Amino acid sequence: MKPVNITFCSCNKYLEKNQWKTYKTLKDLVVKKIRKQVPKAKVTFIHFHVPENHKEKITNDVLAEFKNREHVVEVVLKHGKCTMCSKEGTDYFEAVLQVRSTNYKVLEESIEFLKRKVDNLRQKGVFINKVQRFEHGYDLYITNKRVTQALGRELCDTFGGLSRASPHLQTKSRQTSKNVYRVNVMVKLPGFVKGDIILANDKVLRVDKLGKKIKLFDLRRNSSLSVDYSKLQYHILKKHSTYVSRLYPALEVINPYDYQSSMVKNKPAERPELGQEVNVVVHKGVYIVD
Ligand SMILES: [Zn+2]
């Protein structure tokens, strides 16, 4: 019998007449190939070693039984890289995802989020081939345009923010001499995280939920509201630690700026005790935030 040669990629594809096709398991594939030569062969694997490193080759002897006779078939497995996977670790990219935020924590969380998402797409040949860090953001060079645009939208749905894609005519391809279009996706994420207190429209607001709509809690009015990030002009209020100085007739704390006892503008969810340490923000009065 003729030996069986299989070039496979670790993403479950093998090379068949110059095309990469998917397989379920390598053993199934070997059986299929042997039965192409001898349709009713009973195939037995004694040892089956699969090469793990790129370009590595291993020959296995496989028993094929037919017409009551055993034949040893040489099965050569070669570890290759399919067209998709061969893009990993090169300078190939179709899109740049540019993520910006003034908040370090937001940037760290968003990059972790994206890396996890792209890791799950390895099988589809999607990779981050380069990461560039900046003071207020990072650029990711990704091998797939469509995925990058979807990632931009997902990022905004999770962290809030704005995403805008702009096509880019880059260069002529050396192989096909066709124009190559690349996409830039710019995502501006908020500078705040859940639990931050922001000032917008002269209101003191706690960030309760991030996403397509930002859910805020108006501390003065004791009510919730939802806004589009694009319509939000804000700045973050700094939290200070201070002490409760009076309970009756009204709740008072020490103002962290002038150390005077001042009336609290909002109704905290739990009434604190005298002398208790609390966090406050100050804007035309003092608000207890937690
Ligand atoms: Zn592959």
Side-chain angles (χ1 to χ4, degrees):
M1 282 185 67
K2 280 188 285 173
V4 170
N5 282 292
I6 296 173
T7 301
F8 71 97
C9 179
S10 37
C11 73
N12 276 57
K13 286 193 203 78
Y14 72 103
L15 197 58
E16 174 95 60
K17 290 175 190 133
N18 282 324
Q19 276 199 323
W20 290 92
K21 294 182 173 171
T22 45
Y23 64 83
K24 249 196 243 150
T25 70
L26 277 175
K27 281 188 173 178
D28 285 346
L29 187 61
V30 170
V31 172
K32 214 174 91 183
K33 294 235 172 200
I34 291 175
R35 289 195 180 145
K36 236 180 216 171
Q37 297 184 47
V38 188
K40 284 183 180 161
K42 183 173 173 263
V43 180
T44 315
F45 295 92
I46 304 158
H47 299 289
F48 195 67
H49 299 292
V50 178
E52 279 171 24
N53 304 314
H54 183 47
K55 288 185 175 170
E56 195 188 338
K57 236 190 224 180
I58 290 181
T59 306
N60 289 283
D61 288 335
V62 175
L63 288 180
E65 197 185 321
F66 57 94
K67 287 180 185 159
N68 288 324
R69 281 190 60 193
E70 276 187 345
H71 300 258
V72 176
V73 188
E74 231 180 54
V75 176
V76 184
L77 299 178
K78 193 180 164 199
H79 193 297
K81 265 191 185 173
C82 72
T83 17
M84 295 282 211
C85 291
S86 59
K87 288 172 184 165
E88 187 180 16
T90 65
D91 56 7
Y92 179 87
F93 68 98
E94 287 183 4
V96 185
L97 184 57
Q98 304 181 290
V99 184
R100 302 290 181 267
S101 168
T102 50
N103 188 311
Y104 177 78
K105 215 169 129 194
V106 173
L107 289 175
E108 285 305 299
E109 279 177 24
S110 62
I111 199 166
E112 284 313 310
F113 173 87
L114 290 169
K115 280 182 174 170
R116 268 199 311 274
K117 291 270 166 190
V118 176
D119 247 4
N120 291 333
L121 296 168
R122 299 181 64 82
Q123 304 246 7
K124 290 184 175 151
V126 183
F127 304 103
I128 297 170
N129 269 345
K130 193 166 110 182
V131 180
Q132 249 182 322
R133 294 301 296 246
F134 306 99
E135 201 191 335
H136 292 304
Y138 54 86
D139 286 359
L140 299 180
Y141 290 72
I142 302 173
T143 58
N144 184 299
K145 275 189 270 224
R146 201 178 37 77
V147 166
T148 305
Q149 279 171 286
L151 286 172
R153 285 190 296 269
E154 261 186 87
L155 208 52
C156 291
D157 289 350
T158 311
F159 293 86
L162 295 170
S163 161
R164 199 190 46 172
S166 48
H168 241 26
L169 175 64
Q170 204 73 16
T171 43
K172 273 193 194 303
S173 157
R174 258 173 284 157
Q175 285 115 17
T176 59
S177 80
K178 275 184 193 160
N179 287 328
V180 177
Y181 288 90
R182 281 174 177 162
V183 173
N184 269 13
V185 179
M186 170 63 86
V187 179
K188 288 185 179 149
L189 297 179
F192 49 75
V193 292
K194 199 178 144 184
D196 276 348
I197 310 294
I198 60 171
L199 180 68
N201 281 330
D202 211 37
K203 287 176 187 154
V204 177
L205 305 161
R206 184 182 67 220
V207 180
D208 276 354
K209 206 178 160 216
L210 295 163
K212 225 176 244 172
K213 292 267 184 182
I214 311 264
K215 206 174 154 202
L216 301 165
F217 184 78
D218 187 327
L219 288 179
R220 184 80 204 265
R221 299 174 134 196
N222 228 8
S223 63
S224 292
L225 63 152
S226 282
V227 292
D228 277 336
Y229 181 67
S230 59
K231 291 177 188 133
L232 196 61
Q233 297 271 347
Y234 67 92
H235 77 253
I236 298 168
L237 291 172
K238 192 178 179 317
K239 290 181 187 176
H240 303 266
S241 171
T242 187
Y243 294 94
V244 175
S245 49
R246 192 172 211 171
L247 292 178
Y248 302 100
L251 181 60
E252 291 185 17
V253 295
I254 302 295
N255 183 323
Y257 287 100
D258 59 14
Y259 305 108
Q260 302 295 311
S261 186
S262 7
M263 225 160 57
V264 172
K265 296 277 239 175
N266 65 318
K267 251 198 188 130
E270 276 172 52
R271 204 164 167 83
E273 287 167 33
L274 195 62
Q276 190 184 322
E277 197 176 344
V278 286
N279 282 325
V280 298
V281 296
V282 181
H283 171 70
K284 297 179 182 169
V286 185
Y287 293 78
I288 292 184
V289 293
D290 50 45

